[in-house]
Amino acid sequence: MPQVKISCHSCLNCSLRGILAIDTVLLWIGLVLFTPLPFSKVGCIPFYRKYSTWPVALLGPVSSDEREAVLKVCTAFKTPLLYGISYEGGSYNHYLFCYSPVPDHMIKPLVPYMNQNFGNSFYILGYDYLWPHKMSEAIKQTVGNTGGTVVGTEFTPFGVKDYSEIIKRIEQSGAKNLMLIMPGPDGYNFIKQFNREGLKNKVQIAAIAADEAYLEALPPQELEGIITPVHFISSVDKPETLAFVKKHQQMYGEDSIITYSTESHYGLMMMLAEAIKKTGSLDKEKIISSLEGLELTIGNGKVQMRDDHHMNLNMLIAGFHNGQLVMAEDIGNIVPEDQRKRAEY
């Protein structure tokens, strides 16, 4: 899963105020804010020991390693873990709830869109760890199923400074599309070098897990034309989107960055509040039962937490244009495969 910057404080505070506004019970919530600390190595038992009581739920891991490390402790203490970042899919646990786009959400609508608009040959470039590898597998399968060709695949370590040789191979491959699975500073650096080498108008970039934070990292001309599959962008003209953005901006200013992960973490908190309101109890097993099948409208239409603890989400193809991330196509509701079928128990 991508190393992205999320506004945990803002989405948590915004959702807690929303919980109070709907007159439900105020919860003792454990918010796990992850930093460069190798949490998967040090474990999170100290977090538990810091408090006299264990929280109703935990929110906040980012990477897959962090998620799985925290999940072990949540399982031991029979506590729901709320996860709101796009990831490779296939993780199931009674205590894990994912408001997360998985490959079925992102890749299955994206590849046909690119086939139709840009061509059916693809090059894949990503970081060399689990999430990009699994996303690459999904891309290859979907490209093959839709009559396209993957002409090259490469994975790179973090911190690469010079991408000139990779860019040369992309150009020589003749690919019409580049699937870039490299969010964060390395991806920004790659995009600048890619444009400088003259490929901007030759090869279409789809940057997986790109969001409005890119607009803070790169000037508009560098991002122009790049597309991404997401379940929420802040510029969509829908009543629920406008309401969510307005609420956030009232609290954090009109210049605050609102991304898909802001919406998903807020959505998780509101689902938790609704589950507690339905059960009238802080019994965690009753909350888990109420979360399963729960439907709410958050920032982009009605969404559902399924029995496999993953979401049916309304997906968009978005693109960077004139300094904004805007909707290119409204895909609608995507129902991914039951993630229990892919889980490794």
Side-chain angles (χ1 to χ4, degrees):
M1 59 134 310
Q3 305 296 317
V4 294
K5 179 175 64 178
I6 63 172
S7 178
C8 283
H9 282 299
S10 63
C11 66
L12 179 71
N13 290 339
C14 191
S15 28
L16 284 178
R17 292 191 192 186
I19 289 170
L20 289 171
I22 62 175
D23 196 31
T24 190
V25 64
L26 177 61
L27 310 177
W28 196 100
I29 300 292
L31 174 62
V32 183
L33 289 175
F34 287 95
T35 66
L37 177 71
F39 206 83
S40 60
K41 296 180 181 178
V42 302
C44 58
I45 290 290
F47 178 82
Y48 165 70
R49 289 176 178 164
K50 185 177 179 181
Y51 300 99
S52 58
T53 58
W54 189 242
V56 171
L58 267 70
L59 170 79
V62 177
S63 77
S64 293
D65 284 346
E66 291 167 346
R67 181 191 67 242
E68 294 304 312
V70 177
L71 183 57
K72 290 179 181 178
V73 179
C74 285
T75 302
F77 291 100
K78 299 181 179 181
T79 299
L81 174 61
L82 311 179
Y83 186 65
I85 301 293
S86 60
Y87 86 109
E88 63 277 358
S91 183
Y92 174 77
N93 183 290
H94 179 66
Y95 298 102
L96 175 65
F97 289 86
C98 298
Y99 197 124
S100 306
V102 296
D104 281 358
H105 289 113
M106 296 181 282
I107 303 306
K108 285 190 175 179
L110 176 63
V111 168
Y113 178 88
M114 299 185 79
N115 282 339
Q116 181 177 352
N117 289 280
F118 310 115
N120 65 354
S121 57
F122 294 78
Y123 205 101
I124 303 170
L125 176 63
Y127 289 126
D128 191 10
Y129 72 104
L130 177 65
W131 175 66
H133 280 267
K134 291 295 185 181
M135 295 300 290
S136 174
E137 291 174 9
I139 292 167
K140 290 177 179 178
Q141 182 178 14
T142 306
V143 168
N145 291 342
T146 55
T149 306
V150 175
V151 297
T153 303
E154 295 193 46
F155 300 103
T156 70
F158 291 97
V160 173
K161 302 300 182 185
D162 182 2
Y163 292 100
S164 58
E165 292 301 315
I166 294 176
I167 292 170
K168 187 182 299 182
R169 288 192 289 273
I170 294 170
E171 183 174 23
Q172 291 172 347
S173 75
K176 296 296 184 182
N177 302 298
L178 172 63
M179 297 298 217
L180 184 63
I181 318 170
M182 196 185 291
D186 290 350
Y188 306 150
N189 184 28
F190 173 84
I191 289 168
K192 289 188 287 187
Q193 293 183 36
F194 182 90
N195 293 340
R196 191 168 63 236
E197 293 298 324
L199 270 67
K200 183 180 182 68
N201 296 318
K202 297 179 181 179
V203 181
Q204 174 63 46
I205 293 180
I208 307 301
D211 59 21
E212 287 87 347
Y214 277 54
L215 296 165
E216 294 288 301
L218 291 170
Q221 64 270 21
E222 299 281 13
L223 293 169
E224 185 71 25
I226 293 174
I227 64 172
T228 186
V230 287
H231 68 269
F232 172 87
I233 55 174
S234 58
S235 64
V236 171
D237 188 15
K238 295 182 180 181
E240 63 272 20
T241 307
L242 296 171
F244 176 69
V245 170
K246 181 179 179 180
K247 179 184 293 185
H248 194 279
Q249 289 180 338
Q250 284 174 341
M251 294 177 65
Y252 299 101
E254 293 188 2
D255 294 332
S256 58
I257 301 173
I258 307 169
T259 70
Y260 79 85
S261 61
T262 312
E263 192 264 0
S264 61
H265 285 83
Y266 177 87
L268 283 164
M269 292 295 294
M270 298 312 293
M271 285 188 156
L272 178 62
E274 184 65 21
I276 292 170
K277 186 178 180 182
K278 283 175 61 178
T279 62
S281 168
L282 294 181
D283 182 287
K284 286 180 274 191
E285 291 301 325
K286 291 180 179 179
I287 292 170
I288 288 170
S289 295
S290 292
L291 282 169
E292 294 173 350
L294 187 61
E295 292 185 351
L296 284 180
T297 297
I298 307 297
N300 181 28
K302 184 176 288 186
V303 296
Q304 182 185 43
M305 179 66 74
R306 310 180 323 177
D307 288 348
D308 65 348
H309 299 186
H310 285 71
M311 299 292 292
N312 294 336
L313 294 171
N314 302 300
M315 297 301 294
L316 313 166
I317 304 295
F320 291 97
H321 180 61
N322 289 339
Q324 283 189 297
L325 185 58
V326 299
M327 182 171 66
E329 185 167 318
D330 192 343
I331 300 298
N333 193 253
I334 297 288
V335 179
E337 179 185 22
D338 190 319
Q339 297 302 294
R340 289 171 292 192
K341 295 179 180 178
R342 300 184 56 235
E344 297 180 5
Y345 293 97

